[in-house]
């Protein structure tokens, strides 16, 4: 798995925030809809718990990701379509983490955890 991470937010929580902001927010204010900050490794590990699927998760260091990106750039240079690129690999090395504290405080919205999101979207496999 890549070394970075993302913020995972439930679509219903995003919709609640949009409605609340449209109805209650003063003009020109912006809000972030942000759920749980999670590394890619933890995301895949926790998703395995809910799907019941077991697979080996190989953590890849950033320097390996960057080398793969250069390989992808070369493939693209040859005219072969690929999602592998230096830009994509660099992004996967970054922790894209955010907070919704402002929205939570102003609108009282509780953003769901990754576990709640996975239960809702995947169901729980016992």
């Amino acid at each position: 798995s890549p070394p970075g991470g993302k913020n995972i937010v439930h679509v219903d929580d995003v919709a609640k925030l949009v409605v609340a902001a449209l109805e209650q927010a003063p003009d020109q204010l912006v809000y972030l809809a942000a759920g749980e900050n999670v590394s890619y490794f933890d995301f895949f590990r926790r998703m395995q718990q809910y799907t019941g699927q077991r697979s080996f998760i190989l953590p890849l260091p950033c320097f390996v990701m960057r080398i793969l990106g250069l390989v992808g750039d070369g493939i693209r240079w040859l005219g072969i379509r690929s999602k592998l690129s230096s830009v994509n690999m660099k992004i996967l090395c970054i922790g894209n983490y955010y907070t919704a504290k402002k929205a939570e405080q102003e609108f009282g919205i509780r953003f769901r955890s990754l576990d709640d999101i996975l239960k809702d979207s995947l169901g729980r496999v016992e």
Side-chain angles (χ1 to χ4, degrees):
S1 71
K6 289 279 185 198
N7 182 279
I8 309 294
V9 63
H10 196 291
V11 66
D12 291 347
D13 294 339
V14 174
K16 285 179 190 175
L17 176 59
V18 169
V19 170
L22 287 172
E23 292 177 350
Q24 303 171 36
D27 290 341
Q28 306 296 318
L29 287 184
V30 295
Y31 299 89
L32 287 178
E36 184 173 338
N37 294 318
V38 61
S39 70
Y40 291 116
F41 182 84
D42 193 36
F43 174 78
F44 292 127
R45 184 185 57 76
R46 288 164 69 183
M47 195 159 55
Q48 283 182 345
Q49 294 171 349
Y50 288 92
T51 62
Q53 296 178 349
R54 297 287 177 238
S55 59
F56 181 72
I57 303 172
L58 177 65
L60 296 174
C62 198
F63 79 90
V64 171
M65 300 293 292
R66 297 217 176 173
I67 291 169
L68 291 172
L70 291 173
V71 170
D73 291 345
I75 290 170
R76 288 171 170 224
W77 183 81
L78 294 172
I80 301 169
R81 293 183 65 173
S82 172
K83 292 184 180 180
L84 200 59
S85 73
S86 294
V87 172
N88 289 346
M89 296 303 105
K90 183 178 179 182
I91 291 169
L92 289 172
C93 291
I94 297 170
N96 290 303
Y97 301 135
Y98 303 95
T99 180
K101 286 184 182 178
K102 178 180 172 183
E104 290 172 343
Q105 291 171 348
E106 291 190 28
F107 304 119
I109 296 173
R110 182 190 152 271
F111 291 89
R112 288 173 246 204
S113 68
L114 176 60
D115 289 324
D116 291 338
I117 294 168
L118 291 173
K119 285 177 193 174
D120 191 40
S121 61
L122 300 173
R124 182 150 188 124
V125 178
E126 299 290 334

